[in-house]
Amino acid sequence: MEKLIITAALTGAEVTQDIQPNLPITAEEIAIEAEKAYEAGAAIVHVHAREEDGSPTQAKEAYQEIKEKIEARCPVIFQPSTGGATWHTAEERLQPVELSPEMATLSTGTCNFGEDVFMNTQEYMIKFAKKMKEKGVKPEIEVFEAGMIANAQYLVKKGLIDTPLHFDFVLGVPGAMPASARNLVYMAETIPAGSTWTVAGIGRHETPLAMMAIAMGGHVRVGFEDNIYYKKGELAKSNAQLVERIARMAAEAGREVATPDEARKILSIK
Ligand code: KMH
Ligand code: ZN
């Protein structure tokens, strides 16, 4: 089986230090957290930038600072968010793509997101995909609902994204596709042949879905964006602690963990 790519989703846009005191906020804290996650086995870090007061920002300068600080520390793949927070405009969300990162997220559909709506109209998707292509950025296609796979295929048909595709199944967001074994199998069987996929199980679903992905030949995303607990009632000490658990489980299952360079090959990143 292919080596396992572990992504650490370090910050997200929604989690606060009130509920997770170990959440990295500043560029320096995010870079330190990225390095620790890399040392624990992460090949990719998925990043959301924050203002000093902790509020989410999509400012290009904020992402640039984080990118530079991470690159100075370790060779992990830097994957900024283009999802931002639900209230960011499409233009705001697209800013980090201007930095030509190796990867960035691309959500291919609108869904409920708790009490909010995460807006990804066809116009947004086309705009984001075009910009990523122009900047040579490999999209990680974020799918929160099954129909979003069909939207990604539409973008392929339009020539706006290239195969092989790489998907992230985000399962368990309140208001979107629930996290279950059956849904994960359905998603993995529905994406176009030759695609790669990772899974981000939200909250308590993080570890069980990761176990499934390890067994199925998929890849795994963990981190404070998706889950702040190590186990019920016990907050995680760091993103690295969550990554370490996945690396241990992979070792037990006989699946080696991919380095960033190995992940680049698996994902066809040029
Ligand atoms: N914060 C969510 C509304 C992404 O990073 O691309 C969207 C999100 C997806 O986190
Ligand atoms: Zn994100």
Side-chain angles (χ1 to χ4, degrees):
M1 221 184 256
E2 210 163 47
K3 288 192 180 180
L4 177 75
I5 301 171
I6 305 176
T7 300
L10 303 176
T11 48
E14 293 80 21
V15 179
T16 64
Q17 281 187 336
D18 291 342
I19 60 163
Q20 174 41 282
N22 304 316
L23 183 78
I25 297 282
T26 66
E28 186 68 17
E29 286 167 355
I30 292 172
I32 291 169
E33 195 76 356
E35 186 178 24
K36 286 199 291 179
Y38 161 72
E39 283 167 354
I44 302 173
V45 288
H46 170 68
V47 172
H48 286 249
R50 301 291 186 105
E51 303 280 7
E52 264 177 31
D53 67 1
S55 58
T57 173
Q58 285 297 106
K60 184 176 137 186
E61 299 71 26
Y63 278 98
Q64 177 149 19
E65 194 185 351
I66 296 168
K67 182 173 181 282
E68 284 169 6
K69 284 189 186 294
I70 291 175
E71 283 169 357
R73 285 177 173 274
C74 63
V76 74
I77 298 169
F78 170 71
Q79 182 202 82
S81 169
T82 69
T86 50
W87 60 89
H88 285 134
T89 64
E91 288 69 29
E92 285 174 315
R93 286 168 49 185
L94 248 184
Q95 290 179 81
V97 175
E98 293 294 341
L99 304 172
S100 293
E102 290 182 276
M103 294 184 89
T105 51
L106 171 61
S107 293
T108 52
T110 297
C111 62
N112 280 16
F113 199 90
E115 293 175 356
D116 302 319
V117 174
F118 181 36
M119 191 63 78
N120 295 288
T121 61
Q122 193 182 75
E123 186 191 337
Y124 283 25
M125 286 183 256
I126 290 173
K127 191 183 172 105
F128 282 34
K130 274 188 181 157
K131 178 61 87 179
M132 288 192 201
K133 196 161 202 178
E134 179 195 320
K135 294 285 175 183
V137 178
K138 167 92 182 183
E140 176 176 280
I141 301 161
E142 308 294 298
V143 291
F144 298 75
E145 290 281 3
M148 296 183 187
I149 295 172
N151 287 337
Q153 286 170 299
Y154 169 80
L155 295 175
V156 174
K157 217 167 104 189
K158 286 263 173 194
L160 297 174
I161 51 175
D162 297 325
T163 55
L165 303 180
H166 177 61
F167 289 89
D168 177 24
F169 306 137
V170 187
L171 300 182
V173 169
M177 196 164 185
S180 70
R182 191 170 64 156
N183 285 348
L184 179 59
V185 170
Y186 176 76
M187 298 297 255
E189 287 184 349
T190 302
I191 55 177
S195 305
T196 49
W197 61 270
T198 190
V199 68
I202 302 302
R204 69 183 189 281
H205 303 292
E206 183 172 84
T207 306
L209 289 190
M211 292 169 95
M212 282 192 67
I214 292 168
M216 290 166 70
H219 304 281
V220 171
R221 178 173 115 170
V222 291
F224 289 165
E225 173 162 350
D226 305 326
N227 165 45
I228 58 173
Y229 292 101
Y230 186 70
K231 57 185 180 202
K232 192 171 180 194
E234 183 184 318
L235 288 170
K237 292 188 182 69
S238 64
N239 282 282
Q241 190 190 17
L242 298 170
V243 172
E244 277 161 13
R245 169 162 56 195
I246 302 303
R248 278 200 309 275
M249 290 185 339
E252 288 295 329
R255 223 175 139 192
E256 282 180 66
V257 171
T259 63
D261 271 347
E262 288 166 342
R264 288 179 177 99
K265 283 206 185 79
I266 294 167
L267 300 175
S268 311
I269 294 177
K270 287 160 207 134

